[in-house]
Amino acid sequence: MKKITVLLICAFLSVGLNAQSFIGAWESYHTSENGDNLKSVVIFGDGYQVIATYDLKTGQFIRTEGGTWKLAGDTMTETVEFDSKYPEHVGKEVSFKVFINDSIMGIVGRDREYKRIDNGEPGKLHGAWLFSGRVKDGKTQMRDTSGPRKTMKILSGTRFQWIAYNTETKQFMGTGGGTYTTTNGEYTENIEFFSRDDSRVGASLKFDYSLADGNWHHSGRSSKGEPIHEIWSKRE
């Protein structure tokens, strides 16, 4: 009888965990060893995730890492594609126990919890995208996204982060992120951190966007004020 009861409890807990979804964005506020107030944001898309940590006051970038993820019961397994602080982790598979409810998630045995920001809505662009081409002088130039050098952008319903990296050399080349909105064909990014230039923190960039044949067309002016027309393809 005891064995049956234990099995029923385990089954109930497993169903409860699987009924919850990690998809969306999560945040945690914590303090560094130096006493600085930090913010960490995790974005989960279908099969891909990223976490970034930055100074809450200045937006100074601290660290990012991410890659693919999958869930089996209460065990999450990640294959690391990039890590700005520990490049030697790239290519490794790590597994850990997780917990989740409607508003809180975290890793079992660690004292940091993450509060849900959104569940992937209302963003029309949620998920993982790879930079796959551009339009220049009226000509479309596409690139192969299967190579080791990638520029990926992951979006939840309200948050975005882009990451440039190379899975072969394990090189991290840059990242930035914050909040975004999509309204009447206009995509607006509000920058909260930018690893290459802290002075861009607080800026808002507006672009025209459209979806055509499964691709995201993104046009306007870059953070440097240069005209751009980028093409992003949904990552499978």
Side-chain angles (χ1 to χ4, degrees), residues 61-81:
F61 170 72
I62 306 297
R63 183 190 175 191
T64 190
E65 69 93 9
T68 64
W69 71 281
K70 57 185 177 181
L71 185 67
D74 64 350
T75 299
M76 184 173 290
T77 300
E78 175 194 358
T79 300
V80 181
E81 287 195 347

Side-chain angles (χ1 to χ4, degrees), residues 80-83 86-92 166-168 170:
V80 181
E81 287 195 347
F82 55 89
D83 191 322
Y86 301 106
E88 64 273 17
H89 291 175
V90 173
K92 292 184 178 180
N166 189 312
T167 56
E168 188 172 82
K170 304 183 180 182

Side-chain angles (χ1 to χ4, degrees), residues 217-229:
H217 287 254
H218 174 84
S219 60
R221 292 191 177 275
S222 70
S223 59
K224 296 180 180 179
E226 300 172 350
I228 60 170
H229 182 154

Side-chain angles (χ1 to χ4, degrees), residues 148-210:
R149 183 167 180 168
K150 303 179 186 299
T151 300
M152 179 167 65
K153 185 174 285 192
I154 301 183
L155 300 94
S156 68
T158 60
R159 303 282 313 190
F160 81 94
Q161 184 179 343
W162 64 266
I163 319 98
Y165 59 100
N166 189 312
T167 56
E168 188 172 82
T169 64
K170 304 183 180 182
Q171 181 184 9
F172 164 78
M173 291 169 279
T175 191
T179 64
Y180 82 97
T181 58
T182 51
T183 306
N184 297 325
E186 185 175 76
Y187 168 80
T188 302
E189 292 183 345
N190 305 298
I191 301 174
E192 292 187 1
F193 64 93
F194 188 12
S195 65
R196 296 173 179 171
D197 185 0
D198 288 346
S199 69
R200 300 304 302 168
V201 172
S204 291
L205 303 176
K206 296 182 183 296
F207 304 90
D208 293 328
Y209 88 94
S210 62

Side-chain angles (χ1 to χ4, degrees), residues 34-96:
N34 298 325
D36 298 321
N37 293 321
L38 306 180
K39 181 177 182 177
S40 293
V41 175
V42 186
I43 301 174
F44 282 99
D46 289 328
Y48 300 94
Q49 62 83 27
V50 62
I51 179 172
T53 300
Y54 53 100
D55 189 287
L56 183 60
K57 183 178 180 180
T58 66
Q60 180 183 11
F61 170 72
I62 306 297
R63 183 190 175 191
T64 190
E65 69 93 9
T68 64
W69 71 281
K70 57 185 177 181
L71 185 67
D74 64 350
T75 299
M76 184 173 290
T77 300
E78 175 194 358
T79 300
V80 181
E81 287 195 347
F82 55 89
D83 191 322
S84 64
K85 188 174 182 179
Y86 301 106
E88 64 273 17
H89 291 175
V90 173
K92 292 184 178 180
E93 188 176 89
V94 292
S95 298
F96 39 86

